[in-house]
Amino acid sequence: MSVKVINGQAIPNMPWQDKPADCNEVIWRDNRNPIIPRNLLPTSNSIFNSAVVPFEGKFAGVFRVDDKERNMALHAGFSEDGIHWNINPTRIMFEQAEKSTEEVNQWGYGYDPRVCFIEDRYWVTWCNAYGWKPTIGVGYTYDFKTFYQCENAFLPFNRNGVLFPRKIDGKYVMFSRPSDSGHTPFGDMYISQSPDMKYWGEHRHVMGPLKGWESKKIGAGPIPIETDEGWLCFYHGVLESCNGFVYSFSACILDKEQPWKVKYRCGEYLINPREIYECVGDVQNVTFPCATLCDAETGRIAIYYGCADTCVGLAYTTVDAVVDYVKSHSSI
Ligand code: BMA
């Protein structure tokens, strides 16, 4: 490995498939995709845009499960190998982290969760409803059994709240993407900072739409990976075509100490919807990454991404390969 992963962990049992000999892309798909089907639970309409982390030598996660009434909820799940998942049939019922927050932090709905281990616990951020308007919900768990809900991070309307895995300059750092109440025809990535995970400020603009594939809006994806080149961040970008929105994803590298400074940003998408399970489903043409596993020893990366708002796919790359590609195809 020429690029070093900082503060990472070895995950020797993470899912992996070697790059097929005839593949000339930077990211390649698992040939068992979709690894989580829409109907894994008897009540599920779809399971997608979900977050996975290493947990006690195995894997745990928070999954977006829409039921057949089309309620959007978060469910905990566990796996031995990161491929085969036992997802709880009942949704996560958050306990209130602080009594004083009881009135404001009612569960509204939950979608597009991210999970980030910081210091001693797994933080969960998701798109939560406050008065049926989307904003960033925040909670935590130690064991994926009991979950505690904190204050929402921001005012509506906001989506794609993604935490950095450590404090930077003594502050928690989170991406978000201010939006509207609908399918939002705009969107830039911002960073906000907090001394305590409750009060968020010192907002910084990171980047907005640039190239054709992301010309409508962009949003943060999985938890950033710290490397000696900077923060490696996968993010989604949206193009509007005559058939509606098309969600692809790519990567950028941000400054380690001032992560709102973009060092490199790939001009091309790295994955776009082209497989049948990415193009056909409840929302056609969506590849939406929410989590990675990264083995600090080998630099292998497994990317969990939602496919067509219906099921979960898995794709692979390496830190060396993606950093090299982003640097050599940087549009800034
Ligand atoms: C976004 C979110 C995502 C979804 C995407 C495409 O606004 O709702 O959950 O994957 O739209 O429908």
Side-chain angles (χ1 to χ4, degrees), residues 21 24 31 60 71 114 134 137 144 147 155 162-163 178 181 184 195 202 240-241 246 248 250-251 255 280 300 328:
N24 57 7
N31 62 13
N71 300 305
R114 314 306 204 273
F144 289 86
F147 289 79
L155 292 167
V162 178
L163 286 163
S181 58
T184 316
E202 297 178 304
E240 187 169 23
S241 82
V246 178
S248 306
S250 191
D255 183 81
V280 176
R300 290 176 169 179
S328 58

Side-chain angles (χ1 to χ4, degrees), residues 26 207 210-211 213-214 229 232 235 250-254 261-270 321-332:
V26 187
M207 57 190 198
L210 198 60
K211 298 293 183 180
W213 69 272
E214 51 171 5
E229 292 276 354
L232 170 60
Y235 68 98
S250 191
C252 61
I253 298 169
L254 307 179
K261 292 191 175 156
V262 186
K263 289 176 70 179
Y264 307 99
R265 172 178 182 177
C266 189
E268 304 173 357
Y269 63 74
L270 297 176
V322 75
V323 167
D324 183 58
Y325 200 83
V326 169
K327 286 173 74 172
S328 58
H329 291 73
S330 187
S331 57
I332 56 161

Side-chain angles (χ1 to χ4, degrees), residues 72-255:
M72 303 178 288
L74 304 179
H75 292 230
F78 300 89
S79 174
E80 302 268 331
D81 59 5
I83 304 274
H84 302 92
W85 286 89
N86 290 314
I87 298 179
N88 292 343
T90 50
R91 76 169 173 89
I92 294 169
M93 305 292 289
F94 284 90
E95 316 224 339
Q96 294 298 321
E98 288 178 54
K99 279 270 178 294
S100 62
T101 65
E102 216 154 15
E103 284 175 14
V104 289
N105 273 329
Q106 285 164 7
W107 169 262
Y109 50 56
Y111 64 87
D112 300 355
R114 314 306 204 273
V115 178
C116 185
F117 184 78
I118 311 177
E119 294 154 354
D120 63 344
R121 67 193 77 180
Y122 299 89
W123 290 92
V124 186
T125 52
W126 71 96
C127 188
N128 186 33
Y130 181 44
W132 295 109
K133 298 176 173 70
T135 186
I136 306 303
V138 179
Y140 60 86
T141 182
Y142 297 99
D143 56 9
F144 289 86
K145 291 182 184 138
T146 309
F147 289 79
Y148 301 91
Q149 186 169 353
C150 309
E151 292 278 351
N152 290 323
F154 307 117
L155 292 167
F157 303 88
N158 210 318
R159 294 186 174 101
N160 296 302
V162 178
L163 286 163
F164 281 65
R166 68 167 171 86
K167 286 181 172 170
I168 301 173
D169 194 21
K171 286 167 270 189
Y172 296 100
V173 178
M174 178 151 53
F175 285 120
S176 75
R177 208 282 306 278
S179 60
D180 68 11
S181 58
H183 299 299
T184 316
F186 60 87
D188 290 18
M189 285 165 59
Y190 290 82
I191 269 176
S192 303
Q193 304 173 70
S194 171
D196 54 6
M197 276 283 187
K198 185 170 181 176
Y199 297 101
W200 293 89
E202 297 178 304
H203 312 293
R204 304 280 182 267
H205 183 257
V206 182
M207 57 190 198
L210 198 60
K211 298 293 183 180
W213 69 272
E214 51 171 5
S215 48
K216 183 81 352 187
K217 54 182 171 175
I218 60 171
I223 305 307
I225 297 169
E226 189 170 4
T227 75
D228 56 358
E229 292 276 354
W231 294 101
L232 170 60
C233 304
F234 295 96
Y235 68 98
H236 68 260
V238 181
L239 168 154
E240 187 169 23
S241 82
C242 51
N243 285 327
F245 287 167
V246 178
Y247 282 70
S248 306
F249 66 88
S250 191
C252 61
I253 298 169
L254 307 179
D255 183 81

Side-chain angles (χ1 to χ4, degrees), residues 17 23 43 47 50 62 112-113 146 151 159 169 202 254 285 298 312:
Q17 287 184 339
C23 172
T43 54
I47 306 176
S50 297
V62 174
D112 300 355
T146 309
E151 292 278 351
R159 294 186 174 101
D169 194 21
E202 297 178 304
L254 307 179
N285 305 328
T298 59
V312 177

